[in-house]
Amino acid sequence: MRNFINKRAPYLFISPALLLLMMFSLIPIVVAFVISFTDISLVGLSDWSQINFVGIDNYIEIMTDPIFLKSIGNTLFYVVIGVPLVITCSLGIAVLINFGENRFFQFFRLIFYTPSITNVVAVAVVWSYLYNPSFGFLNYLLALADIPAVPWLQHPVIAKISLIILALWRAIGTNMIILLAALQGIPKAYYEAASLDGANKWQQLFKITVPMLKFAIFFVTVTTIIGWLQFFEEPFIMTNGGPLDSTTSISLFIYRNGFQFSKFGYAAAGSFLLFIAIIIVTLIQFRMQKVKNED
């Protein structure tokens, strides 16, 4: 009896977490997959007899929807530009804080981590004033240097870059903490031996620090790409997808169709396509990492 209890005890302790995972992750995924083959709307929620099975019509329609195709391009733009910037800046700041000898560098942890825990709505309000074309602080600084005002949120390309800058400012903190923890786990004996052999700081960075951080960098890269593929808060609050849907991300497209247009089946099809894309990208990254480890 005691052996039976000892074998089942671990499952008892993890059962609450598994139950929550099933209720709020696995079951919603299954439900979204099912309703993606229907035309469910607000009417269907009140009367299930109004729900019709449409097969793959939602997927065919969404793959030919010009706004959805544009949102894919916008999201890829965010990922291609934003992810390398976040990882590079996070790593650079983590290295500076870790190897900085002045006590002031310790205060940088708080400075760079605070934006990641600040409410995004409050942040968006402040940055809206910074980006304002008429009386924004950024254009005021440009005016002092006799530089024409920049349409930060009014030009299709500049608006995307402006949102990336805001998201970069918010995303650095979390990744910096992860990389900083990994940096502090590198034995100092490696750097002392490299110094005795005549290696300078740059050589130590690229020959010791970066290789020793490969698993931390891999983790940060995977989570950052997943986060940027689901880019939502900044375009939703700052531009609502405009101008001319130039900042509409896939997540914002899904939200708009599901909660504004009440096209739940259509939105579910989009969300499942995004879900599949995230899985594929993640598996590719794991495969690439496995190949690197084997080499």
Side-chain angles (χ1 to χ4, degrees), residues 127-137 139 150 152-154:
W127 279 77
S128 294
Y129 283 105
L130 294 177
Y131 283 146
N132 190 282
S134 301
F135 53 83
F137 182 68
N139 280 342
V150 176
W152 297 102
L153 299 177
Q154 290 74 38

Side-chain angles (χ1 to χ4, degrees), residues 77-261:
F77 184 92
Y78 295 137
V79 172
V80 172
I81 303 298
V83 172
L85 283 175
V86 170
I87 296 173
T88 303
C89 294
S90 301
L91 179 59
I93 294 170
V95 170
L96 287 174
I97 293 175
N98 186 64
F99 294 106
E101 298 179 357
N102 195 309
R103 293 178 62 89
F104 185 70
F105 282 98
Q106 303 301 319
F107 184 63
F108 279 175
R109 298 186 189 186
L110 177 63
I111 294 176
F112 287 104
Y113 185 67
T114 300
S116 63
I117 59 175
T118 305
N119 184 277
V120 64
V121 177
V123 168
V125 171
V126 175
W127 279 77
S128 294
Y129 283 105
L130 294 177
Y131 283 146
N132 190 282
S134 301
F135 53 83
F137 182 68
L138 295 179
N139 280 342
Y140 170 76
L141 294 178
L142 294 177
L144 294 178
D146 292 329
I147 299 176
V150 176
W152 297 102
L153 299 177
Q154 290 74 38
H155 187 277
V157 178
I158 297 178
K160 283 195 283 282
I161 296 175
S162 300
L163 295 182
I164 289 175
I165 294 172
L166 169 57
L168 172 67
W169 178 74
R170 292 187 63 239
I172 285 177
T174 303
N175 291 336
M176 176 203 68
I177 293 296
I178 296 172
L179 293 171
L180 186 59
L183 277 168
Q184 293 177 347
I186 300 176
K188 295 187 181 297
Y190 293 164
Y191 297 103
E192 294 172 357
S195 298
L196 292 175
D197 290 338
N200 57 37
K201 296 295 183 181
W202 285 105
Q203 290 172 328
Q204 293 177 27
L205 175 64
F206 291 105
K207 298 297 183 179
I208 299 176
T209 305
V210 174
M212 293 294 290
L213 290 178
K214 63 179 181 179
F215 292 111
I217 293 175
F218 171 69
F219 173 78
V220 167
T221 301
V222 171
T223 55
T224 303
I225 290 178
I226 292 175
W228 283 78
L229 284 173
Q230 302 177 53
F231 196 58
F232 173 74
E233 291 93 345
E234 286 79 3
F236 173 66
I237 298 174
M238 298 289 291
T239 63
N240 196 27
L244 302 175
D245 290 308
S246 61
T247 59
T248 300
S249 63
I250 298 176
S251 295
L252 181 56
F253 174 87
I254 294 169
Y255 170 85
R256 185 183 295 162
N257 281 275
F259 293 96
Q260 293 183 355
F261 304 150

